[in-house]
Amino acid sequence: MLTANSSLLTKEDMTNPDRVPQWLIKEYQTFHETVTDKTFPCYFGMKAENKGELRYAYITQEDWSNLPKAVESFLDLFQEPPYIRHGLFVFMEPESIEGDIEFYRKRFWEILQYLHQADEKPWPIEKPKDPDHYLWDYHFAGEPIFVFGNAPAYKQRKTRDLGNSLVLGFQPRMIFEGLEGTEKGGIMSREKVRERVEKWDNLPKHPDISHFGDVNHNEWKQFFIGDDIEPIKGKCPFHHKQLR
């Protein structure tokens, strides 16, 4: 049961002016209309949004402090049945002037770094800490999570434009059980979604999109892809925190 001051929000909360600010109600409306469009590529997201299975949180330009609690509360949903394929979408208060892709990418990684710095649980000892390792993935509270960025600066990859907000999608790796990149069901589901994405965006799939465990792949590169078909170059902005 959510408390009145909970950082984690439900579908009903997102339209309640007593629970959330007006800008978030507006941005959620755009989000809802986008992901429930019958032609939206990700039918898992569409189904979850329609059934009220997604969860949400928000941060303002000045205050990100409720984010760690929101993600922690979200992960708590997986501690007992029923194990529904939840996703968490975190909305950032829109900029007064829209930025470009690099602006939002920088902000995206700053938020993930902030969340990592606030993590009270240790990074799993057996998991790589170097983002350039092909088996690296992002962890919070000991759980591996796939995180992907959406922003208004996406003009070609329309599937990544969910409104005026920078929106971070959090998907714990456990929800992909049976849909992994090497599993038959995962391969088929992934290919169907990607075909629909290419149709929506009218662009080939981004070259950095692959599946976890691919030795020629860096997971971090598909967290915030480009609005083009150019591979991402350079080092990952994420740095594992130094233990004191």
Side-chain angles (χ1 to χ4, degrees), residues 3-103:
T3 59
N5 63 354
S6 174
S7 300
L8 193 64
L9 302 166
T10 65
K11 187 175 183 178
E12 291 72 29
D13 293 326
M14 295 295 277
T15 57
N16 183 351
D18 293 329
R19 290 284 280 122
V20 299
Q22 197 60 43
W23 68 261
L24 185 57
I25 292 176
K26 180 182 176 183
E27 291 306 316
Y28 172 69
Q29 182 179 2
T30 301
F31 170 91
H32 176 79
E33 290 172 356
T34 302
V35 301
T36 58
D37 185 302
K38 289 182 179 178
T39 63
F40 188 69
C42 183
Y43 38 76
F44 296 116
M46 183 195 309
K47 182 180 176 183
E49 172 64 12
N50 279 323
K51 293 178 72 174
E53 293 173 353
L54 299 181
R55 293 295 180 267
Y56 319 89
Y58 73 93
I59 55 178
T60 66
Q61 294 290 333
E62 295 79 25
D63 187 2
W64 304 354
S65 60
N66 69 317
L67 181 60
K69 182 61 180 174
V71 179
E72 189 177 322
S73 299
F74 172 66
L75 292 174
D76 284 345
L77 297 176
F78 298 90
Q79 296 304 309
E80 56 188 50
Y83 300 112
I84 300 171
R85 283 201 170 101
H86 297 284
L88 169 65
F89 287 86
V90 177
F91 293 73
M92 184 173 200
E93 181 184 11
E95 306 293 328
S96 55
I97 300 174
E98 183 183 306
D100 60 12
I101 285 287
E102 286 307 318
F103 172 86

Side-chain angles (χ1 to χ4, degrees), residues 156-159 193-209 225-230:
Q156 298 188 91
R157 296 194 178 277
K158 301 176 188 69
T159 46
V193 169
R194 286 176 182 170
E195 284 175 16
R196 288 160 64 100
V197 168
E198 288 185 18
K199 187 174 180 180
W200 246 57
D201 292 346
N202 197 28
L203 274 181
K205 105 175 163 179
H206 195 277
D208 289 317
I209 297 290
I225 59 174
D227 194 26
D228 49 31
I229 53 172
E230 297 300 319

